[in-house]
Amino acid sequence: MASRRPGRRDPSDPHVVLAAAAARWDRLSGRLGPEVRARLAELLTVARAPEQDEQTRGAADRAARLLRERLPEEFGEGGRARLVAVHETAGGPPTVEGFATEDLAVLLIDGHRMVGPLLRPVRERLLAEPALDPETVERHGGSPYAPDLIRLRGTGGRLRLPRFQFSEDALPWLAVLEVNALLDADHDPWGAADWWLSANAWLGTSPVRLLGTGRDAQLVETARFLMESDY
């Protein structure tokens, strides 16, 4: 198991700066104008690539420099970012209060909040499930961007479609499309994926295990009951 320990890593390390920005994004994002946010997104798109090389490191450096210039009271000399707890994980990037560089990219580029010490483990669990990429779905005659399919952004922003949504010939189960529509998967794909893959007290198992067993109507009714009970 990778070790995780408090560190005195140099807060000028770009990944410490970017992780600190993720940890404080709710407070900081409104202080960055549209042009700065767009430039930061461009740099993070490169910096988050799974294959780290000179180009990705350079993008991370420029993204951190941009934050230091625009928010010197946070990330400049003596800024608040120097006061936060930094942790290092063997073989991984540093984290600040449980946030990492990838979390900032998720917030700014992917536009969802499955980040930080509480929700990142859920994101990682869901992304660990078998998935198809858009090209594979298209090769089998499907449409990866069809409404009511769950599409998750994985490491580096790569698009992944959970494999359980498709039959053996890579065509979507009709029950999946109907349930995903009820769960509003277009707007909350992570919540929809978690519903399918988590144990369900009403069904006595995870919903995904019932696909192809002739219990489609029960899946749909359970999802409908869940959504109606939320109102």
Side-chain angles (χ1 to χ4, degrees):
M1 182 175 178
S3 63
R4 185 174 181 271
R5 65 186 188 281
R8 292 186 176 276
R9 188 164 181 152
D10 182 358
S12 65
D13 180 322
H15 289 288
V16 172
V17 173
L18 298 174
R24 291 157 170 68
W25 191 241
D26 285 345
R27 178 165 58 83
L28 301 181
S29 61
R31 294 161 59 186
L32 299 173
E35 292 184 2
V36 175
R37 289 166 63 100
R39 178 55 179 159
L40 187 59
E42 290 176 2
L43 293 169
L44 287 171
T45 298
V46 178
R48 75 188 306 199
E51 300 78 18
Q52 292 291 299
D53 54 21
E54 185 175 348
Q55 184 179 21
T56 59
R57 289 190 291 272
D61 283 336
R62 290 192 294 276
R65 191 182 312 130
L66 180 62
L67 285 171
R68 292 192 199 100
E69 292 171 353
R70 298 294 177 168
L71 300 171
E73 70 282 9
E74 297 284 344
F75 304 110
E77 186 70 26
R80 296 189 185 97
R82 293 179 177 273
L83 305 178
V84 300
V86 179
H87 289 78
E88 294 182 352
T89 302
T95 63
V96 174
E97 298 175 12
F99 289 79
T101 295
E102 176 66 11
D103 289 330
L104 183 60
V106 167
L107 288 164
L108 185 58
I109 302 170
D110 299 346
H112 65 80
R113 304 187 63 82
M114 300 294 290
V115 296
L118 296 179
L119 293 181
R120 189 194 311 111
V122 178
R123 184 180 89 219
E124 292 174 348
R125 171 172 60 83
L126 297 177
L127 290 174
E129 293 290 330
L132 301 177
D133 56 44
E135 294 75 19
T136 299
V137 175
E138 288 177 338
R139 281 199 304 270
H140 287 82
S143 175
Y145 303 101
D148 303 326
L149 280 176
I150 296 170
R151 290 174 286 272
L152 306 177
R153 291 283 177 185
T155 303
R158 293 175 177 173
L159 198 63
R160 296 166 54 86
L161 291 87
R163 180 68 179 84
F164 72 79
Q165 300 181 103
F166 304 92
S167 62
E168 291 183 1
D169 56 3
L171 294 177
W173 297 98
L174 294 180
V176 165
L177 297 179
E178 192 169 355
V179 167
N180 284 352
L182 289 168
L183 299 178
D184 197 17
D186 283 344
H187 295 97
D188 185 16
W190 299 94
D194 193 42
W195 184 86
W196 278 106
L197 295 164
S198 299
N200 186 293
W202 291 93
L203 298 172
T205 186
S206 58
V208 70
R209 292 182 176 272
L210 301 184
L211 286 171
T213 66
R215 296 173 66 178
D216 289 1
Q218 187 178 9
L219 286 168
V220 173
E221 287 307 310
T222 302
R224 179 175 289 114
F225 175 79
L226 169 69
M227 300 310 293
E228 289 176 351
S229 65
D230 284 344
Y231 291 98

